[in-house]
Amino acid sequence: MDSIQIKDKKFTVSIKEEDILKEVSRVADEINRDLAGKNPLFLSVLNGSFMFTADLMKRITIPCEISFVKLASYQGVSSTGAVKEVIGINEDLSGRTIVIVEDIVDTGLTMQRLLETLGTRGPKEIHIATLLVKPEKLKVDLNIEYAAMRIPNDFIVGYGLDYDGFGRNYKDIYTVVNEE
Ligand code: 5GP
């Protein structure tokens, strides 16, 4: 399928599954090498990272644990408007090597919030693994050690990422077609 329609938007395929998996394998190799002996705890951020997490974890060969967290949005009284709360951390993070597994880092504000929240629980170190980064949009200084792919500043869906809840099921990544 070269193009798909989701609600009012048309998308065309931009990164095929085969190319995604090559980069996911590369990231897994790097993590296997760097974090050997550290028994890392992978924290996958739902919903968007479910497909990336599955493919990544199949390629992680060092002893590790995996758990899932979610960001709940609520309108809080803050200067930034929407505040996100991290829910679902049931593990003791103290002294642990954590790897956050995200779908995409855009402005980086979500990742910053995650780092702040997890940082209060006494981990030894926190690493970031993300499927995608939009470097042009990054607003905060983040040390993104493990990024599968860098993409331009366009809206994408597929491979776990959605548009209004739809499109997560596609195995390839699609970019929105901007109709002039
Ligand atoms: P940030 O806080 O870094 O600006 O935003 C990160 C979140 O925005 C991601 O976890 C994802 O949910 C959403 N996001 C950013 N860019 C895209 C995109 O191109 N497509 C989709 N589907 N979600 C995006």
Side-chain angles (χ1 to χ4, degrees):
M1 255 186 321
D2 285 344
S3 63
I4 52 172
Q5 180 83 32
I6 302 177
K7 300 193 173 177
D8 58 325
K9 293 200 191 305
K10 195 180 164 196
F11 296 83
T12 54
V13 71
S14 51
I15 315 174
K16 299 286 265 185
E17 181 187 31
E18 191 191 334
D19 297 315
I20 298 170
L21 293 178
K22 254 185 237 162
E23 299 307 322
V24 172
S25 296
R26 175 185 53 77
V27 165
D29 289 346
E30 291 169 11
I31 293 174
N32 285 327
R33 181 196 63 205
D34 296 349
L35 303 185
K38 296 193 166 187
N39 295 331
L41 169 62
F42 289 85
L43 287 181
S44 168
V45 186
L46 294 174
N47 294 325
S49 71
F50 79 95
M51 223 178 257
F52 172 47
T53 301
D55 284 330
L56 179 72
M57 296 314 295
K58 282 186 265 182
R59 292 163 175 81
I60 295 294
T61 52
I62 58 174
C64 64
E65 289 176 87
I66 167 96
S67 193
F68 298 87
V69 297
K70 216 166 171 163
L71 294 169
S73 294
Y74 62 95
Q75 292 300 315
V77 185
S78 90
S79 55
T80 52
V83 180
K84 284 184 173 169
E85 187 191 1
V86 186
I87 55 173
I89 312 169
N90 301 316
E91 288 73 16
D92 178 8
L93 306 189
S94 57
R96 296 295 306 265
T97 293
I98 308 295
V99 183
I100 300 173
V101 183
E102 251 292 22
D103 54 355
I104 183 163
V105 176
D106 189 18
T107 61
L109 292 169
T110 305
M111 186 55 75
Q112 192 180 42
R113 171 88 182 132
L114 269 164
L115 290 170
E116 278 167 15
T117 305
L118 300 178
T120 62
R121 292 170 177 250
K124 185 166 147 229
E125 52 190 341
I126 307 179
H127 302 272
I128 299 171
T130 185
L131 175 70
L132 299 156
V133 188
K134 291 181 183 171
E136 290 161 35
K137 287 275 292 282
L138 256 186
K139 275 193 196 161
V140 290
D141 190 22
L142 292 174
N143 178 21
I144 304 173
E145 285 165 279
Y146 307 108
M149 293 167 291
R150 288 173 171 75
I151 56 166
N153 187 15
D154 298 314
F155 187 77
I156 55 119
V157 293
Y159 197 73
L161 289 107
D162 74 309
Y163 170 51
D164 211 6
F166 286 82
R168 295 192 195 277
N169 50 305
Y170 296 109
K171 63 188 172 59
D172 304 313
I173 289 174
Y174 293 80
T175 299
V176 74
V177 178
N178 291 311
E179 272 142 19
E180 303 298 312

